[in-house]
Amino acid sequence: NAGVTQTPKFRVLKTGQSMTLLCAQDMNHEYMYWYRQDPGMGLRLIHYSVGEGTTAKGEVPDGYNVSRLKKQNFLLGLESAAPSQTSVYFCASRPNRAAQYFGPGTRLLVL
Amino acid sequence: EDQVTQSPEALRLQEGESSSLNCSYTVSGLRGLFWYRQDPGKGPEFLFTLYSAGEEKEKERLKATLTKKESFLHITAPKPEDSATYLCAVQAYSGGGADGLTFGKGTHLIIQP
């Protein structure tokens, strides 16, 4: 099992550009999450999904959209990137009633 | 609002010097408390889940304990490879985000040889 994988590992964007971050898991987990991690802030929940075809907002959803068309994939989109979205993005997944397992992260720099 | 406070922010120990990390939490109904380890440039790695006060779990040199207001991560005779940032997180029954975790800011632990 590869576990949770994230693509790309690193990306530089200009303000106003768009991009999609891909999270994939091969553990057949129902629940998937997107977090961002900023210095001095800790990890914060952006969006989450409780199953294929479902998504919902977390603590800091503004400026992001998500989709979960397939159970194993959870996509995070930035329609118009802003410097405030410079961060490290982590995807996580979990089966029912268990801990979350995290991917390696995507480092995003918005200039 | 769920809150998690970790202390100290940073801790430097000599190899073999035991210590404890603290995680204080405020949550409206605790479903679970989680400890993770995070190495630089990597994602958090799951260590423990604690569900009720009085519960303890151990793994190698690490032992996690839970009370109604806080959790401790005890590190016994640490080695340099235990150097990492240790994250505490809570999951509430009624928390927003369908079981999304609320994280503390972490304790950066350095073990010197």
Side-chain angles (χ1 to χ4, degrees), chain A residues 31-99:
Chain A
Y31 299 81
M32 297 187 74
Y33 306 83
W34 276 107
Y35 292 87
R36 60 179 290 174
Q37 186 174 40
D38 302 292
M41 294 293 293
L43 283 148
R44 292 179 293 169
L45 182 65
I46 305 171
H47 284 282
Y48 64 95
S49 169
V50 300
E52 181 178 321
T54 73
T55 64
K57 296 179 180 180
E59 179 187 355
V60 289
D62 293 343
Y64 305 95
N65 56 76
V66 288
S67 64
R68 186 140 179 231
L69 299 179
K70 294 183 178 181
K71 186 177 183 179
Q72 63 268 32
N73 295 338
F74 195 26
L75 279 63
L76 178 70
L78 285 73
E79 292 185 350
S80 180
S84 61
Q85 294 178 304
T86 292
S87 187
V88 182
Y89 292 87
F90 289 101
C91 176
S93 73
R94 71 171 179 88
N96 193 27
R97 295 181 60 80

Side-chain angles (χ1 to χ4, degrees), chain B residues 14-88:
Chain B
Q14 292 295 123
E15 183 174 1
E17 181 184 1
S18 302
S19 187
S20 297
L21 312 182
N22 178 262
C23 171
S24 298
Y25 63 90
T26 303
V27 63
S28 54
L30 181 70
R31 174 173 284 186
L33 184 141
F34 302 81
W35 282 99
Y36 287 85
R37 168 193 171 126
Q38 186 173 26
D39 293 301
K42 296 190 176 182
E45 176 188 346
F46 170 69
L47 293 174
F48 303 108
T49 307
L50 301 168
Y51 293 105
S52 57
E55 189 174 1
E56 299 182 350
K57 291 203 176 162
E58 289 188 64
K59 179 181 179 180
E60 297 181 353
R61 295 176 293 280
L62 300 176
K63 179 180 177 180
T65 61
L66 181 65
T67 73
K68 289 185 177 180
K69 294 183 178 181
E70 57 191 352
S71 176
F72 292 93
L73 185 64
H74 307 278
I75 302 176
T76 303
K79 299 181 178 181
E81 53 262 41
D82 294 322
S83 298
T85 295
Y86 290 85
L87 304 174
C88 174

Side-chain angles (χ1 to χ4, degrees), chain B residues 2-21:
Chain B
D2 304 333
Q3 289 190 335
V4 178
T5 303
Q6 292 188 245
S7 62
E9 290 185 10
L11 181 62
R12 188 182 297 266
L13 300 172
Q14 292 295 123
E15 183 174 1
E17 181 184 1
S18 302
S19 187
S20 297
L21 312 182

